[in-house]
Structure formats: structure tokens, C-alpha cells
Amino acid sequence: MSKVPTHYDAIILGAGGAGLMCAAVAGQRGRKILLIDHADEPGKKILISGGGRCNFTNIGTAPDRYLSQNRHFAKSALSRYSAADFIALVDRYGIDWHEKTLGQLFCDGSARQIVDMLLAECPADNVSLSLGKAISTVSHNDGRYRVEYGGETAFAPALVVATGGPSIPKMGATGFAYDLARQFGLKIVEPRPALVPLTLGGEETLFRSLSGVSAPVIARSGKTAFLEAALFTHKGLSGPAILQISSYWQHGESVEIDFLPDLPGDWLVQAKKSLPRLSLKKAINAHLPARLTDTLVERIALEGELGNLTDKKLEEAARRLSHWRFMPNGTEGFAKAEVTAGGISTAELSSKNMEARQVPGFYAIGEAVDVTGWLGGYNFQWAWASGHAAGKAI
């Protein structure tokens, strides 16, 4: 005997950060919500974030820290639900937090506190949570969406897609949101890995031997630059500076590294005047790890005491160290990407409520949409803001 279909005001697909926020806001407005996730527990990406302490927002949140084909799209939602709004919610639940570098906020305790808070925000009499049941089909007829999942069927006039992108597939992430969007005629901006390590090949495999070595650098791609740490890996380059720049990098482009961002361009010439007997290697090693210094000096192919080297050669060496070009041959892909760039085109959606312009009742929020934040809590803030915008509308 088949189960009787159930009717709701809205069905939300995906119980991650955006889906939970949307369900909480809509449920508190008295809406009957069904929140479905194929995972066995909600908020899985929240739980692993920030080393298990969840970098839940960034006090520096601003629209210019997001990538999208429409750089203005995120303004509306971010302005109506700010980092301060989410901090106030966290404070209301008595969750202790601290600020790390560059405005990043983390729980003092566990990321589970954030998930528990969001679940507590969902009124039990209005929000039904279904876990561990895969969605088999989604259709639309007579102004209602029909969702079949785990042998059950539900109907609602509104459908919210909050299933994220394909980054971190080992956690069950897929491109389901894009398939569903295409089914309803929405355009997709080609998804690609973002906040992801870069790989090196060819002659640059030499740098892989530096695996584990890190240094503060400026990483540049085009007109974009980030001053943070870079880390050499057995596959290439990682660390915050590289993850940040990876979202802007395109295949075939170089990434420029300034290994000595705090030093002036003539620092070697000045060092020659004050310490002429100092070797080039020791001059560089005073500012960089020894293994990295050895590799850079080997590539520069300039040896001897500073006093025996011409100013021109020293200026050229300093220029190379501040404009070192790597040619990545790729990234470590969605498996290692923290987020996905691209996704459901913002041209298809209302920036006010995240509803598809040509498909009434169809909403897309969070990482499923072509809005990608910087590293450091920005993507969670987009999840909260976009989820809040849709939750106010459904």
C-alpha cells in the first residue's frame, strides 16, 4: 500500500547551511516546510568546516568579496541579512566565538553548535526534516511541485534548491542542483573548483620537493592579489593565498608570487652596502625558509658574496623573487575544492528573493547559485543571507 502524498507550503532540497536557514525563517513565519536531504544528518559541510569549529562568518563581508557573472547580484541579500545579524543569532544561543585573522569568526567549541542552533530555529510543528532519503524525481504541474523521495511523495507550490555544488564529493556532493535547474529551463554558468590547491608540472615539479614548506607571500592572478601564506605540497601549491587566488585563476594563466612582500625592491642593493661579505643565499635565507631559499637560489643561478655582484644583477634577483611566475597545469579538482564557482545563473533569479524569474515558485540559494565568496567565512554568510531571503518569500 503506497503512502499518502503530503502537502506543504514549500519543499526545500538540501539541509546544509542555506537550506536550514531558509527552513528556519519560513517555519517561523508559519509556513509548513519539508526539508529533505539524502545525507544521514543535516549540516555535514558545517560540521567539517574550520577544522570542526566552523568559520561561520566574516566581519569584513562585502559584495566585492564574491565572484559572480553579475557582481551586483549578492548585494541585496547580503545587505538584508548581514554578518552582524548572524553574530546576534549566535550570541542569543550563548555560543562562544573568537576572531582569527582577517575578520574570520570561529566557534570556541564545536561546529555542531551552529548546526544545533539552526535546527533549534526550525519550529518543530512547522518544519519536517527527512534525512537519508534520495530524491528520485521532481516535477511541476498545475502550480504545484511534486517531489518523490525514498518511496514517499510530497507536493508544494514552492521548491527551494539548496543542494550546493559538486565540491567535496566524498561527502555526497553532486551536481544535482544543476540538473534540476536545467530540467526547468534555467541556464548554468559552467561550474569549476574554487578555493582549491593548484598543481605544478614540467620543470616546476622541482618545487614539489618543498612539500610542507610555507611562507607569507602575495599571490597574484591578473589584477587580483592576496597577502596570506602559501604552502608547497607534493602536488604543487596550496595555503590560504593560493586557495584565494585559485578562484580567479584560469587554465593557461600564470600565478605570480611575491616571496618577499615586506621588502623594498632595492633591498639586496642596500644589503650589499651594509654587509658586502654576506652571500646571496644567506641574505635570502634571513627572510625565507632554508629549503625554499636553496631552491630559489638554484633557479636564480646567482652565487657569491653580495659585494662581488653588480647592482644590476642584485636588482634583477630581487625582481624575480617578488615576481616569481608559476604556470599551474591544473587544480586538485572538486575533490579538494572547498566550494564551487559557477552554478545556476544569477540572470535567471531575483536578487531580492532568489526566485527564478521565468519559473514561479522555483528558488535557488547558497552554493548552488553562481555566487562564490572568498576564503574565511564569506560562503557561509552567503548561505545565511540567501537562505534568509528565500525564507522570507516562500
Side-chain angles (χ1 to χ4, degrees):
M1 181 176 174
S2 62
K3 293 188 177 182
V4 178
T6 311
H7 295 74
Y8 298 87
D9 292 317
I11 300 169
I12 302 172
L13 309 181
L20 285 167
M21 175 61 85
C22 185
V25 173
Q28 290 171 21
R29 295 176 56 240
R31 301 296 191 264
K32 297 295 182 183
I33 305 296
L34 174 62
L35 180 58
I36 305 173
D37 201 303
H38 64 206
D40 56 3
E41 63 178 322
K44 276 200 162 183
K45 205 165 182 180
I46 297 173
L47 293 173
I48 68 162
S49 70
R53 289 190 171 181
C54 187
N55 180 191
F56 58 80
T57 193
N58 194 298
I59 58 175
T61 297
D64 64 357
R65 302 189 173 193
Y66 292 83
L67 291 79
S68 174
Q69 283 202 342
N70 177 0
R71 59 192 179 90
H72 300 293
F73 183 82
K75 288 180 178 178
S76 178
L78 290 172
S79 67
R80 286 179 293 120
Y81 194 82
S82 67
D85 291 321
F86 193 77
I87 293 167
L89 178 62
V90 170
D91 287 343
R92 199 163 78 239
Y93 276 78
I95 299 171
D96 293 327
W97 52 270
H98 59 278
E99 179 183 347
K100 285 194 176 180
T101 57
L102 304 172
Q104 303 170 48
L105 304 189
F106 291 78
C107 296
D108 286 359
S110 165
R112 188 165 293 281
Q113 293 174 285
I114 300 295
V115 176
D116 290 344
M117 176 191 76
L118 292 168
L119 289 171
E121 281 288 286
C122 295
D125 53 346
N126 287 338
V127 179
S128 300
L129 180 60
S130 172
L131 297 171
K133 295 178 181 177
I135 298 159
S136 50
T137 62
V138 177
S139 57
H140 184 257
N141 193 35
D142 295 329
R144 294 188 308 170
Y145 291 90
R146 173 189 174 112
V147 177
E148 296 181 26
Y149 62 107
E152 299 183 45
T153 304
F155 294 92
L159 180 75
V160 183
V161 180
T163 53
S167 60
I168 320 183
K170 68 180 181 182
M171 294 186 63
T174 69
F176 176 81
Y178 313 143
D179 296 337
L180 197 55
R182 290 189 186 99
Q183 178 186 327
F184 287 93
L186 304 185
K187 293 177 182 176
I188 303 297
V189 175
E190 185 63 31
R192 58 189 177 85
L195 300 182
V196 64
L198 301 175
T199 55
L200 299 175
E203 291 184 4
E204 293 179 333
T205 54
L206 165 69
F207 285 90
R208 294 187 194 171
S209 65
L210 298 175
S211 181
V213 173
S214 67
V217 305
I218 293 176
R220 294 188 183 89
S221 180
K223 295 180 180 179
T224 306
F226 292 96
L227 171 58
E228 288 195 67
L231 171 71
F232 289 93
T233 73
H234 66 285
K235 292 185 178 180
L237 296 166
S238 188
I242 302 301
L243 297 182
Q244 292 279 39
I245 212 67
S246 72
S247 298
Y248 294 84
W249 176 78
Q250 301 286 340
H251 278 274
E253 295 179 349
S254 65
V255 169
E256 187 179 279
I257 301 293
D258 182 350
F259 282 111
L260 300 165
D262 295 329
L263 296 181
D266 65 346
W267 74 275
L268 278 174
V269 174
Q270 295 302 320
K272 172 184 172 179
K273 291 177 181 177
S274 57
L275 296 166
R277 300 293 300 276
L278 190 68
S279 69
L280 178 64
K281 180 182 287 190
K282 284 188 176 179
I284 296 172
N285 193 202
H287 303 282
L288 292 173
R291 287 168 60 198
L292 176 56
T293 297
D294 290 346
T295 301
L296 294 175
V297 169
E298 181 182 335
R299 298 300 290 269
I300 291 172
L302 189 63
E303 296 181 355
E305 296 177 350
L306 298 180
N308 294 329
L309 298 170
T310 66
D311 287 0
K312 185 176 181 180
K313 285 185 176 180
L314 291 175
E315 287 169 353
E316 176 58 27
R319 189 158 42 249
R320 282 201 68 184
L321 291 168
S322 60
H323 297 278
W324 200 282
R325 287 185 178 273
F326 289 98
M327 285 296 296
N329 60 5
T331 75
E332 290 195 35
F334 286 116
K336 297 294 184 181
E338 295 202 13
V339 294
T340 303
I344 299 172
S345 174
T346 56
E348 304 281 6
L349 306 173
S350 161
S351 62
K352 183 178 180 182
N353 61 18
M354 312 304 294
E355 184 179 15
R357 299 180 187 281
Q358 305 300 322
V359 189
F362 187 104
Y363 298 77
I365 58 177
E367 193 182 339
V369 179
D370 175 34
V371 175
T372 307
W374 287 2
L375 183 73
Y378 295 97
N379 288 293
F380 274 131
Q381 187 56 41
W382 171 245
W384 317 139
S386 59
H388 184 270
K392 285 286 189 183
I394 59 176

